[in-house]
Amino acid sequence: MAKGNGRNSDKQGSGRPTMTDVARIAGVSQSSVSLVLNAMSGSRISQETQQKVREAAHKIGYKLPATRGPVAAAPTVEKDTIAFIVDEISTSPHPVVSLDGIRDYAFEQGLLVSAHATRSNPDLEEAVLRSVLRDPAIAGVIYATIFTRKVSVPPALKSIPTVLLNCYCEPRQHVAIVPGEVAGGFAATAHLTALGHKRIGFINGEPWMDAAMDRLKGYKQALATADIAFDESLVRDGDWLPLRGYEAGLDLLAMDNPPTAIFCGNDLMAIGVMEAAQERGLRVPQDLSVMGYDDQELARYTHPPLSTLVLPNYEMGQKAAEILIDMAIHGKHTRPMTIKVDGPLVVRETTATVDRR
């Protein structure tokens, strides 16, 4: 569907005007249009906006389905909902933040989002897909995973516009939105090298995970860019939890030539490292710089506040919704590709120059 902005595009061809047309002309969301035209009580929509909605509806001859006269065929159900299907949502903040990004962008475009967690249960996923695919209001699907990984996309999704979020498939069949983990590992480590650190420890996540492998690549690339030789003895595998960060931190700090800075694969392990430093009588950042990753809410409330790198879940969700709406609502053809979204560095108070030591 063309989006045109001129007066001639107020009515899409000779088809029946829709709530989407009213929302576009009035410059409001479909939800606002629905509230106004249904005369819903309790809404806080201004009189000016209500008048704009009514004038737009009158201009193109739009009436709510319940107020229309009899028609020969049943009215077409408007596709106004995105289905967000994720394997897990309650055990990590990351998919919830992605859902926030999807919801906010979709609502700006007049669409709603239905969320479905499958718990990696094939039977539950199959039931969700059956329900989604027979719902005429579903415009498309965002198929997501709690951690970045390769997936086998359900064949049923070939029949509906689909965008992959935080996952990908090989060979490429859909647009996939993933975090730029190599760039993130590079940026976090480069921040430390720019402060003059040459012995930088790295406590990674579980080594089989895509995120851990890519953050390690970024760490190595940043060292090479700064002409610092990679030292495998400064790398420890972790499990994303504070206790492992604490244990690995103690191990690194007990070395004969300990690191002056430690980069952790996530904020939780960084908190464990800060505890280890305190136990050994080291001050952060005066004696040891600590760098996290993810920028979870708690990173702002450590003592001192944790320097980290944003895992851009919200922006990834927005991008997935934008591409899906372009495909499903506006008819835009998008070839299968992988789009990497980079997160910014957040410098707080746990990193400092070597000179300060």
Side-chain angles (χ1 to χ4, degrees), residues 272-306:
V273 169
M274 292 171 68
E275 184 180 350
Q278 183 180 30
E279 185 172 308
R280 291 189 62 87
L282 299 175
R283 299 166 300 164
V284 176
Q286 293 90 339
D287 304 316
L288 177 72
S289 284
V290 178
M291 184 76 196
Y293 198 109
D294 286 350
D295 193 31
Q296 294 191 35
E297 186 71 17
L298 55 81
R300 307 173 192 179
Y301 304 111
T302 58
H303 298 283
L306 181 65

Side-chain angles (χ1 to χ4, degrees), residues 15-36:
R16 173 178 294 163
T18 67
M19 189 180 292
T20 302
D21 299 326
V22 178
R24 175 173 50 80
I25 296 167
V28 299
S29 69
Q30 288 186 53
S31 297
S32 294
V33 172
S34 178
L35 288 170
V36 172

Side-chain angles (χ1 to χ4, degrees), residues 20 34-36 79 100 104 110 122 143 184 192 209 224 232 235 245 258 260 287 289 312 319 329 344 351 356:
T20 302
S34 178
L35 288 170
V36 172
K79 293 184 179 298
D100 283 345
D104 291 349
Y143 186 82
L192 297 172
M209 297 180 69
E232 192 172 358
V235 177
T260 62
D287 304 316
S289 284
K319 190 66 177 177
I329 304 300
T351 52
R356 286 185 59 182

